[in-house]
Amino acid sequence: MFGYIQYNKDALSEDDFALYRSYYCGLCKSIKQLYGVKATRILSNDLTFIEVLLSALNEPLEEVVEEKCMVNPLLKVTTRINKYDSYVAKMNIVLAYFKAVDDVHDEGRHKSMLKSLTKPFEEIKEEYPEKIQHIEQALEKINQLENESCNDLDLLCNTFGRVMGEIVSYDVVFADELYSLGYHLGKFIYLMDAYDDLFEDIKKGTFNPLKKRSQDEHFDDDIKMMLEIFMGDAALSYEKLPIITHSDILRNILYSGVWAKYNQVREKRGEKKNESL
């Protein structure tokens, strides 16, 4: 769905990479058990980060199993399951549902996906009514702003920040710190997504809040500075949490992985810019 909050494999030890993959595969397994194998296609690194984060913060009991891959039975994988998998799997469904709603509304795509996600989404909404209400209100606000061709980038980023704040804050004791972390990650994700999609949106004539800004001489550097501010705030929120377990993995994502992804996006943008000359 997003894919911007991810690890930098080159900077991870083999053991830490294997540990991360075990959480990824465990979350994939949970999604499959709850919603079927087709739903595993929606799994993202962004949500795996949340799984590792909540697990590191609370250090729950875990079940670690070597078994056949849920998607490719020819592969053998290690799955790591704990009490947070179900919650994160459900938040995967929530985000995928709203993405499908947008795709159907904007381009008429993914109607079958939306149909398959509607019932699970309604069940999750019953389980977490207040959280889903807040997410729904924020996303409706974003849709309204985008339909009005709003170019207030701070307002758009802040509104999506509320979405991720709600998703990450699944802890009673550290709810405020987790909300703050999620909020700033959400701002980063929204801006990265707009930056990544800019050429495609210009080509299609669809909304993107960066269209006017992209004509500025220092546009790329200005975007990087904003992204650095957002991730700096996210890192400050993370460092307030008493996390020792898996800290190398989480810091790899927050301090290195997101920028490895940014470099890929900026390199792709440079290639497309050259093609247009």
Side-chain angles (χ1 to χ4, degrees):
M1 291 181 296
F2 305 121
Y4 300 117
I5 310 301
Q6 62 172 274
Y7 57 84
N8 179 1
K9 187 178 179 181
D10 293 338
L12 270 181
S13 69
E14 289 186 12
D15 287 344
D16 281 340
F17 178 67
L19 185 62
Y20 178 91
R21 289 296 301 179
S22 69
Y23 278 111
Y24 183 93
C25 292
L27 188 52
C28 181
K29 178 180 179 179
S30 295
I31 292 174
K32 188 255 183 183
Q33 290 176 336
L34 287 168
Y35 304 111
V37 69
K38 288 184 179 180
T40 60
R41 293 177 296 177
I42 67 174
L43 176 57
S44 71
N45 284 310
D46 309 78
L47 275 294
T48 305
F49 168 79
I50 298 173
E51 170 72 17
V52 178
L53 174 70
L54 294 176
S55 301
L57 181 59
N58 296 285
E59 300 185 11
L61 293 175
E62 296 183 328
E63 176 186 328
V64 182
V65 179
E66 287 193 17
E67 56 191 331
K68 291 181 180 180
C69 174
M70 296 291 104
V71 178
N72 185 353
L74 296 178
L75 295 178
K76 195 171 185 179
V77 298
T78 300
T79 59
R80 186 176 300 268
I81 300 287
N82 62 49
K83 66 179 184 178
Y84 296 106
D85 287 84
S86 175
Y87 169 75
V88 179
K90 290 169 184 176
M91 293 303 105
N92 249 280
I93 293 293
V94 169
L95 288 176
Y97 170 81
F98 283 115
K99 178 67 166 60
V101 169
D102 280 346
D103 288 343
V104 170
H105 177 267
D106 295 341
E107 302 175 39
R109 297 185 300 119
H110 296 159
K111 291 182 180 179
S112 61
M113 177 176 286
L114 177 59
K115 184 177 180 181
S116 68
L117 291 172
T118 298
K119 183 179 178 181
F121 170 76
E122 293 297 336
E123 292 173 350
I124 296 167
K125 189 174 182 179
E126 288 183 10
E127 185 175 0
Y128 300 101
E130 187 174 351
K131 185 181 291 287
I132 301 303
Q133 181 185 33
H134 292 163
I135 292 171
E136 209 162 12
Q137 288 171 345
L139 290 173
E140 286 174 357
K141 181 64 176 179
I142 290 175
N143 286 335
Q144 176 192 337
L145 293 170
E146 292 182 345
N147 288 334
E148 295 170 353
S149 298
C150 173
N151 290 309
D152 188 335
L153 197 54
D154 285 336
L155 179 57
L156 288 161
C157 291
N158 292 345
T159 306
F160 192 73
R162 286 159 46 197
V163 174
M164 293 306 295
E166 286 292 337
I167 289 174
V168 176
S169 59
Y170 185 63
D171 187 284
V172 176
V173 180
F174 299 103
D176 291 343
E177 292 84 355
L178 288 170
Y179 184 94
S180 179
L181 172 55
Y183 176 77
H184 295 299
L185 286 178
K187 292 170 68 175
F188 179 90
I189 289 170
Y190 187 89
L191 182 55
M192 273 289 290
D193 190 54
Y195 187 58
D196 194 10
D197 290 346
L198 181 57
F199 273 107
E200 194 68 23
D201 288 332
I202 292 173
K203 182 180 177 181
K204 292 181 178 179
T206 50
F207 172 79
N208 189 306
L210 301 181
K211 282 184 179 180
K212 290 184 179 179
R213 292 171 180 255
S214 66
Q215 304 303 314
D216 296 344
E217 181 181 357
H218 303 292
F219 169 69
D220 291 297
D221 291 336
D222 290 344
I223 293 299
K224 185 177 182 182
M225 182 177 67
M226 292 179 67
L227 291 168
E228 287 174 340
I229 291 171
F230 295 162
M231 281 309 302
D233 289 338
L236 285 173
S237 298
Y238 168 78
E239 296 297 347
K240 292 178 182 178
L241 295 167
I243 290 177
I244 298 175
T245 305
H246 310 336
S247 60
D248 287 346
I249 298 174
L250 293 167
R251 288 194 173 105
N252 171 280
I253 294 169
L254 292 171
Y255 294 106
S256 179
V258 296
W259 297 115
K261 180 62 178 178
Y262 164 81
N263 289 333
Q264 292 174 12
V265 171
R266 183 153 181 174
E267 182 179 348
K268 182 177 70 173
R269 172 174 164 76
E271 291 172 355
K272 290 185 177 180
K273 187 185 293 185
N274 290 335
E275 290 173 2
S276 64
L277 295 178

